[in-house]
Amino acid sequence: MSTTSRRYAALAGITAAAVAIGIAEPVAVLTGPRSAPLVAVGGVVVDAVPESLKQLAIDLFGTADKIALLVGTGLLLGGFAALFGVLAVRRLAFGLAGIAAFGVIGVAAALTRSGADAADALPSLVGAGLGGLVLWLFIAGPFELDPWPWSPPTPIVPPAASVPPAGPVPPAAPVSPAGPALGSRAEPPSAASPTPEGLPVPVTPAEPVSPAGPVTPAAPVAPGGQSATGAAEVDPESRRRFLTSSGVLLGTALAAGLGGRWLAGRRGVSAARDAIRLPAPVAPAAAVPAGADLSLAQLAPYVTSNLGFYRIDTALVVPQVDPDSWRLRIHGRVGTERTYTYADLLARPLVERYVTLACVSNEVGGDLIGNARWLGVPLRELLDEVEPDADADQVVGRSVDGWTCGTPTAALRDGRDALLAVGMNGEPLPVEHGFPVRMVVPGLYGYVSACKWVTELELTRFADFDAYWVPRGWSVQGPIKTQSRIDTPRGRNRLTTGPVTIAGVAWAQHRGIRQVEVRVDDGEWQQAELAPAVSVDTWVQWSWRWDATPGEHRLQVRATDATGETQTERTQDVVPDGATGWHTVTVTVR
Ligand SMILES: Nc1nc2c(c(=O)[nH]1)N[C@H]1C(S)=C(S)[C@@H](COP(=O)(O)O)O[C@H]1N2
Ligand SMILES: [Mo]
């Protein structure tokens, strides 16, 4: 096949794939955003990729990791689509089988997401059907090139049998009687299909392929119009038609994709959220003490804004949970199973507490941590009402999207302010932080405690159930480790000789911070000054005045919690139960 031919073929394949994915999006407005092939397959990938890779993605792209995944999937998909286009010119059935294989993957992904029903297959089916149709249009249907710019096989004169006596042979002519039957098109091309990580697109039986039939490479050599290189000249009219239709289809696919996403967004719950008026807490949070916030540039504020709050979850599209139909079912090893509505929760006495949430994936010095004022119902009260069995040592929080966390029952009943939260910093929970209801448990990493979009609490035993991250290599238990961070100065700052304020945050939720020390260039540990904090459940700010001298210096920090334990120097990766080590910043002073 000539290079030109390959380019056209690749364009046909990419256009077909774009139409498949683009059209699937408005269909998914009806069946739910998680049934869109890109999102469904992306979700499977998120659940399946090894932790190290996920951590790499978080390291590289931070909280833009999901966008990175979608873009990466899109690029990968484009590559496969181009390949399918090229295969389709060799034999239409190959290209269609490729699309069908991706369709099967899309359907399988959508159907295996938790809470999926049969309708979730629809976006991938419709997308693949139309993708197949587009491929046919370009390769063997009305939009095809006339003729495809073949490099002629050697010898240049093709087998007499396949060349009609006169006139150009439409490549669409049924050439090989032995071509695959309709049914076989659903089969993935065996050796030619590397497992595609992120694709949609099956072929519906209704596919309009039969009239064209597969084209073998040897067949459609046009008897006339051979160029100097031996390749057939493409009829300019047909080339114009090919390129125009491809442009129009790509534009349509993009519009359908973006339009679908936009519509899905409008069908979201932000209007329902805006309409909510949260009751005042019966037990308000203690006021933030004066001086808790040192208000230094570069230093994280004591209270993190909702917009500035880190977001970590496995959800490629943010679950849209209608508060009116939301239910929380508490069941399992309980005396009496109970179900609560959103109104039930708001009618109860609410408490408001500052709690600093931290992610186990936070590296030493990282920013996957934030402090907010949470409004909610004490989980202890709800558990008391269902009367857990004595041996139910684990409470599994389950989100609408099937994600789970396993929290020690004891941590929810030992008197700490574990909340079933409905509010964050005076507002209903932001949608991406778990609206309408999430868990917040002081002292435990988010992955074992902070279930967002929670709809189920199941009393069970650690021996009986592993929550989402456990089989993926993370620890069953996730108490937050004592940590400290230097926020200012940063390595890139230009410092001048003389007094410099070194400051940061330290945390040991539910134990509290007793002391923070700083040292310069392996010198003596110096006592930092601790700002006041609301409670042992939040981080504290600390600062230390340094008389900076010219040269390069290494600044280090370590914290001691209220039990007297000092944070270890030993560095440990975030897996399996949180990073350890001292945060170190190297600065240059002039
Ligand atoms: N439904 C759901 N809840 C979840 C997660 C998730 O992936 N899905 N991730 C958890 C993790 S690992 C953390 S650190 C916190 C983060 O909460 P945030 O995004 O509100 O900061 O949410 C927890 N709750
Ligand atoms: Mo996390």
Side-chain angles (χ1 to χ4, degrees), residues 19 33 36 84 116 150 154 188 193 218 227 263 285 290 294 307 336 364 395-396 419 451 496 501 547 587:
V19 166
F84 291 160
W150 297 102
T154 20
S193 86
S227 72
L263 268 176
L294 302 173
L307 270 180
T336 24
V364 172
V395 176
V396 171
L419 297 181
C451 191
T496 48
T501 300
D547 207 7
V587 293

Side-chain angles (χ1 to χ4, degrees), residues 294-380:
L294 302 173
S295 303
L296 298 174
Q298 305 192 119
L299 172 60
Y302 179 71
V303 180
T304 314
S305 69
N306 288 358
L307 270 180
F309 211 94
Y310 80 97
R311 174 189 165 200
I312 290 287
D313 55 61
T314 58
L316 279 180
V317 289
V318 183
Q320 306 287 321
V321 182
D322 174 16
D324 287 336
S325 54
W326 176 88
R327 298 287 183 275
L328 176 74
R329 184 170 154 243
I330 311 185
H331 65 110
R333 294 178 175 265
V334 296
T336 24
E337 175 177 327
R338 297 198 57 162
T339 299
Y340 300 86
T341 66
Y342 191 65
D344 289 341
L345 294 188
L346 297 197
R348 301 175 68 106
L350 300 180
V351 309
E352 195 164 41
R353 297 287 183 260
Y354 284 97
V355 175
T356 299
L357 210 65
C359 183
V360 69
S361 296
N362 198 27
E363 310 269 358
V364 172
D367 57 5
L368 300 180
I369 176 165
N371 183 39
R373 182 163 45 96
W374 308 95
L375 174 75
V377 177
L379 274 159
R380 182 169 42 135

Side-chain angles (χ1 to χ4, degrees), residues 46 49-63 65 312 359-364 366 368 469 474 573-576 578-579:
V46 165
V49 296
E51 188 40 48
S52 49
L53 212 78
K54 215 171 296 184
Q55 195 58 45
L56 183 74
I58 292 179
D59 291 349
L60 286 178
F61 306 110
T63 34
D65 57 340
I312 290 287
C359 183
V360 69
S361 296
N362 198 27
E363 310 269 358
V364 172
L368 300 180
W469 284 112
W474 296 82
D573 189 30
V574 294
V575 189

Side-chain angles (χ1 to χ4, degrees), residues 421-443:
V422 293
M424 181 177 185
N425 290 327
E427 292 174 20
L429 287 178
V431 179
E432 58 281 14
H433 292 291
F435 181 79
V437 182
R438 76 175 301 170
M439 293 170 63
V440 172
V441 183

Side-chain angles (χ1 to χ4, degrees), residues 397-464:
R398 193 168 276 115
S399 155
V400 275
D401 64 1
W403 186 86
T404 52
C405 63
T407 314
T409 310
L412 302 180
R413 308 185 84 187
D414 66 3
R416 74 182 80 189
D417 291 315
L419 297 181
L420 193 62
V422 293
M424 181 177 185
N425 290 327
E427 292 174 20
L429 287 178
V431 179
E432 58 281 14
H433 292 291
F435 181 79
V437 182
R438 76 175 301 170
M439 293 170 63
V440 172
V441 183
L444 303 182
Y445 286 122
Y447 83 105
V448 293
S449 70
C451 191
K452 303 192 276 189
W453 314 289
V454 64
T455 59
E456 217 183 289
L457 297 180
E458 182 182 359
L459 277 291
T460 175
R461 300 184 309 182
F462 281 108
D464 294 338

